[in-house]
């Protein structure tokens, strides 16, 4: 199948070809025809499989019809994303699809006054993080009453971050007669409940089982003491100094400590996390993309926002507390058909997290080094699978997104 067969116009097909897109991915082939018919979509697909174009193409087609213009302080279409990085990546992808529609980005970490001024003229597509959108709504800078299209990208992470209350405030403000599309790589129960609240008779598009790792990712685990993680990471990174590697730390302070150790070991490395300004985060990702920085240390703020095809290795330096996050982290490698490796480190007090991850995956993670910690070695509080309660976040936390 090619994009012509999906019923797209020659001009859009030409733009896709200029982007190197000649044939739709499975999720695009399944979702786009239904979306073009105006159906609500619930899409479940691995990261790196083309979900952005799956909702971006039909959105551009629908908004390009006729001569309708956005009214002042309004948006014809709204895309919500959980992180600044992902929102920025969506804008870049949409700009490759059309030069005729006005696309506006509003996220935390940027001047809200400048965003208010841009929205004063109205926009065709508004890409936003929920926290900043709520702030703009409170300032009466945006009216969503005429918004006919809503996209929730990586909706499950929005729930993890605690944006459910923001979503409940935003959705009722949109036009009642709207098309809604929801996409994610995993399908926890909370997201299934959310889909019933926001989607009307949706078409479910599923190209892989929820929680399935991309086929071209080989992933494994090293059982290693916490105090030995730094040495093991440096040893493994030395084996592929020319490759880009993304390293996930659970905490911001842990990321900074790790950066100092990598710098001493001679690695060109930078970090991104919630304590970094948006400018610092943008510069770090830009340096990682160009290759001037080969190692990027990140907290989960980056798990959904980095779309760099040649990330060869992902390291789970700390295992995530939420098991579905593991799928999103390692989805930063093996993108656009490439191969990739994901390596996890598991300390004695992280066995519960590993077991929870394996339950989501439906399989055991291959052991690359060490041996499974003996039960007696596991701290008592770690013998039970721990999963934090989803909770609302305060205004200061929302602004970090």
């Amino acid at each position: 199948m090619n994009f012509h067969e999906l019923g797209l116009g020659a001009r859009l097909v030409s733009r896709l070809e200029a982007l190197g897109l000649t044939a739709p991915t499975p999720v695009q082939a399944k979702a786009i025809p239904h979306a073009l018919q105006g159906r609500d979509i619930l899409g479940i697909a691995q990261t790196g499989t083309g979900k952005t174009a799956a909702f971006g193409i039909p959105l551009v087609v629908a908004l390009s019809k006729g001569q309708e213009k956005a009214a002042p302080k309004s948006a014809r279409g709204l895309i919500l994303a959980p992180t600044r990085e992902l929102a920025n990546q969506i804008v870049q992808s949409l700009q490759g699809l059309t030069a005729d529609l006005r696309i506006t980005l509003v996220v935390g970490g940027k001047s809200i006054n400048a965003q208010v001024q841009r929205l004063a003229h109205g926009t065709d597509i508004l890409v936003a993080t929920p926290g900043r959108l709520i702030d703009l709504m409170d300032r009466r800078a945006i009216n969503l009453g005429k918004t006919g299209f809503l996209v929730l990208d990586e909706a499950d992470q929005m729930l993890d971050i605690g944006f459910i209350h923001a979503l409940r405030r935003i959705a009722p403000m949109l036009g009642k007669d709207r098309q809604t599309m929801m996409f994610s790589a995993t399908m926890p129960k909370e997201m299934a409940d959310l889909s019933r609240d926001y989607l009307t008779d949706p078409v479910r598009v599923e190209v892989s089982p929820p929680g399935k790792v991309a086929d071209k990712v080989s992933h494994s685990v090293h059982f290693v003491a916490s105090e030995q993680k730094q040495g093991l990471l440096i040893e493994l990174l030395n084996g592929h100094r020319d490759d880009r590697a993304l390293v996930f730390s659970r905490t911001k302070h842990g990321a900074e400590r790790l950066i100092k150790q990598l710098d001493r070991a001679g690695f060109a490395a930078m970090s991104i996390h919630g304590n970094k300004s948006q400018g610092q985060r943008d510069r770090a990702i830009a340096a990682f993309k160009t290759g001037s920085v080969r190692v990027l240390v990140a907290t989960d703020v980056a798990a959904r926002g980095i779309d760099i095809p040649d990330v060869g290795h992902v390291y789970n330096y700390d295992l995530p507390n939420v098991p579905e996050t593991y799928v999103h982290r390692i989805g930063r490698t093996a993108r656009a058909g490439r191969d990739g490796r994901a390596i996890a480190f598991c300390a004695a007090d992280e066995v519960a997290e590993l077991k929870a991850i394996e339950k989501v995956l439906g399989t055991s993670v291959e052991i690359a080094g060490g041996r499974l910690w003996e039960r007696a070695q596991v701290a008592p509080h770690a013998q039970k699978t721990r999963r934090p309660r989803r909770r609302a976040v305060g205004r200061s936390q929302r602004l970090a997104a």
Side-chain angles (χ1 to χ4, degrees), residues 355-375:
K355 295 301 181 185
I357 289 167
E358 291 179 330
K359 183 177 180 180
V360 167
L361 297 176
T363 185
S364 298
V365 178
E366 177 187 352
I367 298 175
R371 64 188 181 91
L372 182 62
W373 298 99
E374 297 294 341
R375 188 176 182 83

Side-chain angles (χ1 to χ4, degrees), residues 20-328:
L21 304 176
T22 57
T25 65
V27 67
Q28 293 164 6
K30 290 184 177 182
I32 289 174
H34 295 293
L36 290 174
Q37 294 173 7
R39 295 288 302 274
D40 283 6
I41 303 293
L42 175 58
I44 309 296
Q46 302 158 355
T47 58
T49 55
K51 293 195 298 293
T52 302
F55 64 73
I57 288 173
L59 185 59
V60 165
V61 170
L63 293 176
S64 297
K65 293 178 180 178
Q67 301 298 318
E68 181 183 353
K69 291 185 178 181
K73 296 186 178 182
S74 74
R76 297 170 64 201
L78 171 65
I79 300 173
L80 291 176
T83 68
R84 306 171 192 174
E85 283 72 25
L86 180 56
N88 188 61
Q89 184 64 48
I90 291 170
V91 168
Q92 292 177 18
S93 297
L94 293 176
Q95 288 172 338
L97 298 177
T98 178
D100 301 324
L101 299 176
R102 180 179 295 173
I103 302 168
T104 303
L105 173 69
V106 295
V107 297
K110 299 285 189 180
S111 168
I112 193 169
N113 292 328
Q115 294 172 359
V116 168
Q117 292 175 4
R118 286 197 295 272
L119 289 174
H121 304 289
T123 187
D124 294 305
I125 302 176
L126 178 62
V127 183
T129 49
R132 177 49 58 94
L133 181 58
I134 289 288
D135 293 334
L136 290 164
M137 290 168 57
D138 289 341
R139 292 187 178 214
R140 301 183 185 275
I142 182 69
N143 184 333
L144 302 176
K146 295 183 179 180
T147 303
F149 301 89
L150 171 64
V151 177
L152 302 178
D153 194 18
E154 307 292 11
D156 57 338
Q157 193 189 19
M158 282 193 265
L159 297 181
D160 287 335
I161 293 176
F163 280 134
I164 182 61
H165 295 292
L167 293 177
R168 287 174 178 159
R169 278 196 62 189
I170 294 167
M173 299 295 102
L174 276 71
K176 294 182 179 179
D177 184 19
R178 70 168 189 264
Q179 180 182 11
T180 303
M181 292 180 276
M182 185 182 297
F183 284 82
S184 184
T186 63
M187 188 67 179
K189 179 182 181 299
E190 292 86 350
M191 192 178 130
D193 295 339
L194 187 72
S195 69
R196 286 190 287 270
D197 292 338
Y198 291 93
L199 303 178
T200 301
D201 188 26
V203 175
R204 179 168 174 137
V205 173
E206 189 172 327
V207 298
S208 63
K212 185 179 184 298
V213 175
D215 292 333
K216 292 199 172 186
V217 176
S218 63
H219 58 123
S220 57
V221 60
H222 287 264
F223 294 101
V224 56
S226 295
E227 61 272 16
Q228 296 174 346
K229 283 185 176 183
Q230 287 184 0
L232 178 58
L233 177 64
I234 290 171
E235 177 186 337
L236 295 175
L237 288 173
N238 271 322
H240 55 84
R241 276 186 170 264
D242 292 335
D243 291 342
R244 288 178 180 83
L246 181 58
V247 181
F248 282 102
S249 167
R250 186 178 297 159
T251 67
K252 296 173 282 191
H253 298 298
E256 287 306 299
R257 286 195 300 269
L258 190 53
I259 279 292
K260 292 177 182 177
Q261 293 298 322
L262 292 174
D263 183 63
R264 292 191 188 104
F267 289 95
M270 296 181 75
S271 64
I272 59 171
H273 50 69
N275 280 356
K276 297 284 188 179
S277 70
Q278 188 59 46
Q280 289 174 317
R281 286 157 68 163
D282 291 344
R283 287 191 292 274
I285 291 178
F288 192 52
K289 283 184 176 180
T290 61
S292 58
V293 163
R294 292 290 179 175
V295 182
L296 184 66
V297 180
T299 54
D300 284 315
V301 71
R304 316 286 182 101
I306 296 180
D307 185 10
I308 301 174
D310 49 359
V311 174
H313 294 74
V314 167
Y315 288 92
N316 278 284
Y317 187 83
D318 299 310
L319 291 180
N321 288 325
V322 179
E324 289 89 356
T325 300
Y326 177 84
V327 177
H328 296 293

